[in-house]
Amino acid sequence: MCGIIGYVGPRPSQDILISGLARLEYRGYDSAGIAVIDGEGSLGTRKRAGKLQVLRDDLAAHPLTDGTTGIGHTRWATHGGPTDANAHPHLADDDKLAVIHNGIIENFSELKSELVAEGYTFRSETDTEVAAVLLGREYQASGDLTQAFRATVSRLEGAFTLLALHRDQPGLVVGARRNSPLVIGLGDGENFLGSDVAAFVEHTRHALAIGQDEIVAITPQEVTVTDFSGAAVEVEPFEVVWDAAAADKGGWSSFMAKEVSEEPEAVANTIRGRVHDGLVQIPELEGLDELFTGIDRIIVIACGTAAYAGMVGKYALEQWARVPVDVELAHEFRYRDPVIGARTLVVSISQSGETMDTLMAVKYAREAGAKTLSICNTQGATIPRESDAIVYTHAGPEVAVASTKAFVAQITALYLLALHVGRVRGALTDDAIAEQVSQLEAVPEKIARVLASEQEHIEQFAHWMADTRSVIFLGRHVGYPIALEGALKLKEISYIHAEGFAAGELKHGPIALIEPGQPVFVMVPSPTSSPLLHAKVVSNIQEIRARGARIIAVAEEGDAAVLPFADEVLRIPLAEPLFEPLLAVVPLHVFAMGLATAKGLDVDQPRNLAKSVTVE
Ligand code: M6R
């Protein structure tokens, strides 16, 4: 969950490191630090608890001398609280070498005991410092950073990306990865390492993906990748499709505000290039029909918002492709001995492509013989690289911790996949596919209409509700995962207790929560395309209204049946049931953002969270 950057080249590295860290800060923001080998060959470091700005201010007041080799880190604390001492880099070998780390070194306490017994001392509570001290000891033995690094990482267990530099070898940064991300940026006379391409996209779009258990050494002119034993390995080049501007705030008050405004584009871009003559053709899936014909079930695995996208996708996959689908939280899936095999397709969904729970579940599924397909938003990420097939969402970089545009892009990708699988398995006619495609293609414009007509009203309404202590969200059918998503978003960024329920479940217990004034958001199905469900939900509204609930209905334009029972109505355009979630979620994203803003909270970097959850 930490962000990592490394640089070697002719330019002063400090600004490059700090601006890379600014783009990686979404990965963790408890503390930040840099280490730079300066022109005199000495190692300068600075690290501070708090957000990156604290480090920036410190460096502005007391600059480090310039150097052209450096590493930088932004932290999400695991071992040891967010203090200056626990911030990275960690030093060793008489402060001549510096190490930064993302992940968890599981055998750190055994290693620490070994080092303490040899007389080494420690200045922090972190697992990372153990790796630094071990590296220092190995360096003393070999006098070669790459060799010492190889000996060090071979002793480590767990998940890690580590970068290191040594004062006596300026112009060299070494890195290693195991179950944690690391990519290489190739410049002209300079090279970069980063947790993801955001670290260096403003300098180069040429990148190399590194595999598991590999070590990389970069100098200004050379990039060498080996496995942990030192044998050379092939690396996969790719071009970064995002430009640096896409990862900037671009005048918006927050990344979340920008990303919500990009929801129409995220859907449109995910469809782009995958529809020809009204039919779905996903280039990445060409020649992979047997992935879909030889299966008898699909299991969707994901976490958080991505899992809610999966729950929505289940309805489409079952309705269009006629395959049974289960949706499961990735961290639960792996530990219950699931019944899977060669006739199971496991579809993982992840914006970052690095979520450890999801990654481990994908690996588990592969080892059990299942086929795997990844829906992912981030090029070069680990989960797609571990999967048999990939369908990328094209939402562009998502920086705010709260996932918004990625959610609608994930549903869109699932719908395209469902139509594709429906065709390959002969469950859908071309006409039926063309009909659904035209509905999907209409979604971006409809989302834009929701934003244009409702955003101001919802923000105002959220402002009035700033003192609310608890909110309930209800939905049925595809509205149920949307209710869960609305509740998650509110908890996550406004720290208000929120719960999402299936509306039909209410009378089985949750209705006891309703007391006068309790705000309840209700996803109301379309009266024209789902009259039966609409009637049921209107009855549910009456039941809770009779008990004093304050109803906020998310309802289709023209639905007058809800008016007598709703205190507020947030309107969405007319759509067939399966397309309603893509519209109904938009007011909920705007509401959560509006409420957090009204409470004066940082909507992009909520407390205790990080964008990429790379620990289990
Ligand atoms: O990167 P991923 O899509 O795998 O992340 C999964 C969840 O951690 C993520 O969706 C999380 O729930 C969001 N912060 C919710 O807004």
Side-chain angles (χ1 to χ4, degrees):
M1 339 246 289
C2 306
I4 278 182
I5 178 169
Y7 173 77
V8 279
R11 297 189 276 162
S13 60
Q14 192 171 306
D15 288 349
I16 293 171
L17 298 177
I18 294 293
S19 75
L21 289 181
R23 290 185 195 285
L24 293 176
E25 206 183 6
Y26 71 86
R27 299 180 64 86
Y29 33 84
D30 291 340
S31 56
I34 60 170
V36 173
I37 301 174
D38 73 18
E40 330 269 270
S42 70
L43 180 65
T45 61
R46 187 68 47 77
K47 51 187 195 169
R48 288 288 173 264
K51 293 196 173 166
L52 183 62
Q53 193 55 43
V54 179
L55 176 69
R56 270 199 175 118
D57 293 345
D58 192 306
L59 286 166
H62 312 284
L64 287 176
T65 51
D66 266 340
T68 61
T69 304
I71 53 178
H73 186 269
T74 177
R75 180 171 187 245
W76 185 84
T78 56
H79 294 60
T83 61
D84 286 355
N86 289 333
H88 302 207
H90 291 281
L91 304 181
D93 194 18
D94 292 332
D95 295 351
K96 287 184 284 190
L97 76 78
V99 169
I100 55 176
H101 166 224
N102 172 32
I104 291 181
I105 298 168
E106 284 168 1
N107 59 336
F108 88 102
S109 65
E110 295 101 276
L111 293 170
K112 192 167 183 175
S113 307
E114 176 184 320
L115 292 163
V116 168
E118 288 174 28
Y120 289 97
T121 54
F122 291 83
R123 289 172 274 195
S124 77
E125 304 153 274
T126 64
D127 49 345
T128 310
E129 195 181 5
V130 173
V133 173
L134 200 56
L135 180 62
R137 185 181 78 177
E138 296 299 333
Y139 190 88
Q140 284 289 315
S142 68
D144 179 87
L145 184 59
T146 312
Q147 199 179 322
F149 199 63
R150 201 176 298 136
T152 302
V153 295
S154 305
R155 299 276 327 268
L156 308 180
E157 289 166 17
F160 50 84
T161 302
L162 284 165
L163 298 193
L165 46 73
H166 196 290
R167 191 189 81 173
D168 296 344
Q169 290 192 255
L172 172 68
V173 174
V174 290
R177 67 167 293 222
R178 168 176 290 164
N179 292 331
S180 183
L182 182 62
V183 282
I184 305 168
L186 300 174
D188 188 7
E190 59 184 3
N191 288 305
F192 305 81
L193 295 172
S195 298
D196 70 41
V197 296
F200 50 72
V201 69
E202 65 185 304
H203 308 290
T204 180
R205 288 163 78 167
H206 307 306
L208 294 174
I210 314 176
Q212 289 297 356
D213 288 4
E214 289 178 2
I215 292 183
V216 55
I218 57 167
T219 67
Q221 304 301 340
E222 246 185 326
V223 170
T224 314
V225 184
T226 63
D227 62 18
F228 281 7
S229 69
V233 292
E234 288 281 309
V235 276
E236 213 182 286
F238 66 97
E239 289 295 302
V240 181
V241 293
W242 304 341
D243 61 14
D248 280 339
K249 232 189 269 181
W252 290 86
S253 57
S254 63
F255 277 107
M256 187 176 178
K258 173 175 178 258
E259 288 159 10
V260 168
S261 82
E262 290 168 347
E263 289 189 7
E265 228 179 291
V267 173
N269 288 345
T270 300
I271 300 172
R272 185 159 298 126
R274 286 153 169 183
V275 171
H276 299 281
D277 300 326
L279 296 178
V280 174
Q281 279 168 24
I282 304 176
E284 301 96 300
L285 299 183
E286 249 167 53
L288 294 178
D289 283 5
E290 66 167 38
L291 215 55
F292 309 111
T293 48
I295 54 163
D296 51 24
R297 74 192 275 228
I298 293 176
I299 303 179
V300 177
I301 52 168
C303 301
T305 284
Y308 300 148
M311 287 171 73
V312 176
K314 170 186 163 88
Y315 291 87
L317 279 161
E318 290 196 334
Q319 186 169 323
W320 293 335
R322 306 308 300 159
V323 194
V325 179
D326 293 307
V327 183
E328 195 157 349
L329 295 170
H331 37 88
E332 290 294 319
F333 168 76
R334 183 179 161 222
Y335 294 104
R336 70 168 170 85
D337 196 12
V339 182
I340 50 175
R343 294 187 66 77
T344 314
L345 173 66
V346 171
V347 175
S348 65
I349 310 172
S350 175
Q351 187 287 129
S352 61
E354 300 294 349
T355 298
M356 184 60 81
D357 292 315
T358 309
L359 172 62
M360 289 303 167
V362 169
K363 285 186 167 187
Y364 176 91
R366 276 191 96 171
E367 279 158 23
K371 301 178 169 94
T372 54
L373 181 148
S374 152
I375 293 181
C376 181
N377 196 44
T378 311
Q379 279 179 288
T382 310
I383 295 172
R385 288 162 53 75
E386 293 284 332
S387 304
D388 300 316
I390 312 165
V391 176
Y392 278 112
T393 48
H394 293 146
E398 191 179 68
V399 176
V401 165
S403 189
T404 54
K405 63 175 179 172
F407 179 70
V408 289
Q410 286 160 349
I411 295 175
T412 305
L414 282 160
Y415 282 14
L416 291 169
L417 177 68
L419 292 170
H420 178 85
V421 181
R423 181 184 60 72
V424 171
R425 290 174 66 91
L428 284 176
T429 63
D430 284 359
D431 286 351
I433 294 174
E435 168 56 26
Q436 304 305 336
V437 165
S438 82
Q439 302 244 11
L440 188 58
E441 287 182 321
V443 166
E445 188 271 330
K446 289 183 183 180
I447 298 180
R449 261 163 58 200
V450 177
L451 289 169
S453 62
E454 293 289 346
Q455 184 149 8
E456 230 179 278
H457 165 209
I458 299 168
E459 281 170 354
Q460 181 66 61
F461 171 62
H463 197 83
W464 295 331
M465 285 186 62
D467 293 330
T468 305
R469 297 173 63 87
S470 150
V471 181
I472 290 173
F473 292 80
L474 298 180
R476 268 181 188 257
H477 191 254
V478 280
Y480 170 43
I482 298 305
L484 297 175
E485 165 66 1
L488 173 63
K489 221 78 322 165
L490 199 60
K491 287 186 254 221
E492 185 176 21
I493 60 169
S494 67
Y495 318 150
I496 288 178
H497 178 253
E499 292 285 346
F501 298 110
E505 189 65 9
L506 211 61
K507 55 191 176 298
H508 299 286
I511 199 163
L513 291 170
I514 305 294
E515 53 185 35
Q518 169 68 53
V520 182
F521 278 74
V522 187
M523 308 307 115
V524 185
S526 160
T528 40
S529 51
S530 312
L532 194 65
L533 280 180
H534 179 267
K536 297 269 179 245
V537 169
V538 170
S539 302
N540 296 142
I541 292 179
Q542 282 167 323
E543 287 154 16
I544 51 175
R545 189 165 162 87
R547 289 159 176 86
R550 187 163 165 226
I551 308 295
I552 304 109
V554 178
E556 189 174 281
E557 282 160 4
D559 178 357
V562 293
L563 289 177
F565 315 111
D567 298 274
E568 285 288 334
V569 183
L570 310 177
R571 292 294 185 186
I572 57 170
L574 228 77
E576 287 293 312
L578 282 179
F579 300 93
E580 277 174 5
L582 288 161
L583 310 177
V585 77
V586 179
L588 306 190
H589 285 166
V590 173
F591 175 72
M593 184 170 66
L595 206 143
T597 308
K599 287 181 74 175
L601 299 171
D602 182 341
V603 298
D604 286 340
Q605 297 182 339
R607 69 184 178 202
N608 305 338
L609 287 165
K611 180 74 178 160
S612 260
V613 185
T614 54
V615 291
E616 275 189 89

